[in-house]
Amino acid sequence: LHDAFRSSGVVVCAMPYYHQTWDEFTRAAEKLYQTDPMRVRVVVKYRHCDGNLSMKVTDDSVCLQYKTDQAQDVKKIEKFHSQLMRLMVAKESRSVAMETD
């Protein structure tokens, strides 16, 4: 299975790591994003059947994940996700502005 993904150009994360604490996850995710912003992807997924909300931040070599079934964590994930999106948009808009000058 992994060989099929590699031959098609898709890289599979070796071992996704679920962080135990929210603070640990956010620090690691921010550090990963700051290392190489152009390679990082963020995925937020909710599974209604088991009530789990998960967030994954990856650059194809490092895969950070946080999963919760607690309602109070939804706001934390939403806030962190919007912070990451603002960072991505701010960096992208600055580089586009530089290219047009």
Side-chain angles (χ1 to χ4, degrees), residues 33 42 55 80-90:
Y33 176 75
V42 179
M55 183 174 204
F80 183 64
H81 187 249
S82 65
Q83 286 173 343
L84 284 176
M85 293 302 112
R86 274 194 299 273
L87 275 175
M88 290 176 183
V89 170

Side-chain angles (χ1 to χ4, degrees), residues 70-87:
Q70 301 298 309
Q72 66 263 22
D73 289 341
V74 173
K75 267 299 195 208
K76 287 192 244 178
I77 289 176
E78 183 181 16
K79 184 178 177 183
F80 183 64
H81 187 249
S82 65
Q83 286 173 343
L84 284 176
M85 293 302 112
R86 274 194 299 273
L87 275 175

Side-chain angles (χ1 to χ4, degrees), residues 41-58:
R41 294 187 317 275
V42 179
V43 178
V44 178
K45 181 169 68 171
Y46 176 71
R47 286 179 38 106
H48 182 70
C49 62
D50 54 9
N52 283 333
L53 180 67
S54 65
M55 183 174 204
K56 177 169 84 170
V57 180
T58 183

Side-chain angles (χ1 to χ4, degrees), residues 59-76:
D59 70 352
D60 288 333
S61 59
V62 176
C63 187
L64 308 170
Q65 294 186 342
Y66 182 80
K67 187 185 333 184
T68 184
D69 59 358
Q70 301 298 309
Q72 66 263 22
D73 289 341
V74 173
K75 267 299 195 208
K76 287 192 244 178

